[in-house]
Amino acid sequence: MEFQDVVRRRRMVRRFTDEPVPDESVRRIMRNALRGPSAGFTQGQAFLVLRGAELARFHEVVRLWTLESVRTAPVVVVPFAVKDAYLDRYAQPDKGWTDRAEERWPVPFWYVDTGMAVLLILQTAVDEGLGAVYFGIGADDFDPLRAEFGVPGDHVPIGAVALGHGAEDDVSEGASPRTRARRPFDEVVRFGRW
């Protein structure tokens, strides 16, 4: 698929069929997620891919406070941001800092970089002919999620992505794009000056 087609066709798919997702598709999606930008080549992201019985446990542990329909997706990927990896990386000699001071980061790149990896997951899903939706995980569920799946305590889930074959051909009923127009280009993009 052409890149512009991937960008144009990418949308949040909220309902899925029961058709399984091929393992090679999941692996390609995850390989592409690892290709995202990473400050200092820190690579401070981690991903938990859940299917089958593991996915059922995820739904028992994590309260889906936004999208009950994602329970029909056969795959869920939980991306984690690892702040300590960035603080450690930038305290190394080639980065010029000698401490792990968090205040040096006016923007927390551990979240930015992990978000970019999520976009690659969403785009690769489209390229694979799949549907995907990003959804939030409540902060109260972070520790139970980590405990259930043995995730280290310094890994922060930034949400989750449900993957599968979409059960809808168009924008989901009740989705915001049905009730709100996309903001005009000239209202959002400025060249040279605001």
Side-chain angles (χ1 to χ4, degrees):
M1 186 179 299
E2 292 293 322
F3 180 70
Q4 282 306 126
D5 292 332
V6 168
V7 171
R8 193 173 33 260
R9 292 183 58 199
R10 201 235 27 96
R11 63 183 170 86
M12 298 300 183
V13 173
R14 292 167 171 79
R15 287 180 177 57
F16 302 90
T17 69
D18 59 0
E19 183 179 350
V21 176
D23 188 59
E24 186 49 41
S25 291
V26 174
R27 290 184 176 282
R28 180 171 177 256
I29 289 166
M30 297 317 303
R31 280 192 304 271
N32 283 356
L34 302 180
R35 301 294 302 183
S38 178
F41 206 51
T42 299
Q43 304 169 73
Q45 301 83 37
F47 304 90
L48 178 63
V49 179
L50 301 169
R51 298 179 271 197
E54 300 152 342
L55 183 53
R57 289 191 355 247
F58 172 83
H59 290 307
E60 290 172 9
V61 171
V62 174
R63 290 166 300 195
L64 299 177
W65 46 275
T66 52
L67 298 168
E68 280 296 317
S69 63
V70 301
R71 290 181 183 274
T72 61
V75 180
V76 166
V77 177
V78 184
F80 294 89
V82 187
K83 173 176 67 175
D84 286 342
Y86 287 80
L87 300 181
D88 291 345
R89 172 69 182 106
Y90 275 78
Q92 292 176 350
D94 68 314
K95 288 300 178 195
W97 297 346
T98 57
D99 60 29
R100 298 177 73 249
E102 190 174 338
E103 58 270 7
R104 292 185 184 275
W105 296 85
V107 174
F109 275 40
W110 40 94
Y111 296 130
V112 173
D113 290 353
T114 307
M116 289 189 210
V118 168
L119 181 57
L120 287 171
I121 290 171
L122 296 170
Q123 288 180 322
T124 306
V126 170
D127 197 45
E128 286 288 313
L130 299 169
V133 62
Y134 171 83
F135 60 95
I137 294 176
D140 291 345
D141 291 333
F142 288 7
D143 286 336
L145 173 69
R146 286 189 282 249
E148 180 67 28
F149 296 101
V151 178
D154 65 345
H155 287 48
V156 177
I158 68 157
V161 180
L163 296 165
H165 294 273
E168 303 167 314
D169 292 329
D170 200 1
V171 175
S172 301
E173 199 62 44
S176 296
R178 286 190 178 266
T179 60
R180 298 173 53 98
R182 186 171 300 276
R183 290 176 60 195
F185 182 88
D186 292 338
E187 183 181 305
V188 180
V189 178
R190 308 300 196 290
F191 291 94
R193 186 173 170 84
W194 205 263

